[in-house]
Amino acid sequence: MALAYIGLGSNLADPQAQIAAALAELEQLEHCLLSQVSSLYFSRPMGPQDQPDYMNAVVAIETSLSPIKLLDQLQAIENNAGRERKDNRWGARILDLDILLYDQQLINTERLIIPHYGLKLREFVLLPLAEIANELILPDGDSVKALAQQIEKNGLKVHSKLR
Ligand code: ROI
């Protein structure tokens, strides 16, 4: 089994309900065990500011799925939520599920880059990750705890418990 960390984000169509529904779907995934769930965080948009605020969370999943099979499953959940795959990389989204880490693997392909490029730069990823994996060391040797202590909070707030 591998240990993967997944980032969840939403800023459309009742973000809190979207994250809760995604969590329920992650719990049902075959060959996956949802092992940890962060709090739900309220966060200001990174990128264009003319979009609603976000809800974000991070979960840990033990899985026997390969990274690409896991990605397929996550994209199916995004599509079920009504996510449109158009060119809106920096725009509002109903549901975003990103593989942040997959064990200590480094993956750099057209479909998948792991560790996720935003991991160390985004408070709404790093702080929920630190909540559930404060002792984690990234593949490049950086400590999640130290990175989380240093990053600008940018108005990030714990909104509620998910578990
Ligand atoms: N901003 C926040 N706060 N949370 C996100 O999940 C998020 N996702 C994105 C962009 C548009 C970069 N901004 C975000 O994809």
Side-chain angles (χ1 to χ4, degrees):
M1 294 288 256
L3 182 60
Y5 290 91
I6 316 288
L8 298 83
S10 169
N11 72 339
L12 290 178
D14 193 349
Q16 189 173 354
Q18 293 297 337
I19 302 280
L23 208 59
E25 291 211 50
L26 289 172
E27 240 167 354
Q28 300 299 318
L29 275 187
E30 285 185 23
H31 313 292
C32 293
L33 183 75
L34 188 61
S35 58
Q36 291 189 89
V37 178
S38 79
S39 301
L40 184 64
Y41 289 73
F42 164 93
S43 71
R44 306 238 177 259
M46 163 180 250
Q49 295 297 301
D50 60 340
Q51 56 178 321
D53 293 327
Y54 278 79
M55 292 290 182
N56 287 104
V58 170
V59 303
I61 286 183
E62 290 170 39
T63 184
S64 57
L65 297 177
S66 65
I68 208 76
K69 290 273 184 230
L70 181 59
L71 178 66
D72 287 340
Q73 296 298 321
L74 298 181
Q75 290 189 341
I77 295 174
E78 289 176 343
N79 292 339
N80 277 341
R83 161 99 179 246
E84 289 172 37
R85 288 205 172 278
K86 52 183 192 218
D87 188 21
N88 70 338
R89 193 150 169 241
W90 292 93
R93 62 264 325 278
I94 291 182
L95 183 64
D96 203 11
L97 299 175
D98 292 329
I99 305 176
L100 306 171
L101 293 161
Y102 186 99
D103 281 340
Q104 293 289 312
Q105 285 196 32
L106 304 177
I107 298 171
N108 198 336
T109 63
E110 202 162 323
R111 277 190 75 201
L112 203 49
I113 299 178
I114 299 178
H116 190 273
Y117 64 92
L119 173 57
K120 298 207 282 187
L121 307 171
R122 299 180 171 186
E123 70 287 351
F124 54 86
V125 177
L126 205 46
L127 291 165
L129 178 63
E131 182 190 342
I132 62 172
N134 204 33
E135 303 305 323
L136 187 67
I137 306 296
L138 301 180
D140 65 4
D142 277 347
S143 115
V144 166
K145 185 195 292 185
L147 290 166
Q149 280 167 354
Q150 285 153 22
I151 200 163
E152 172 63 47
K153 302 284 179 292
N154 227 346
L156 187 80
K157 287 197 293 255
V158 173
H159 177 269
S160 55
K161 296 273 173 224
L162 282 165
R163 275 296 131 89

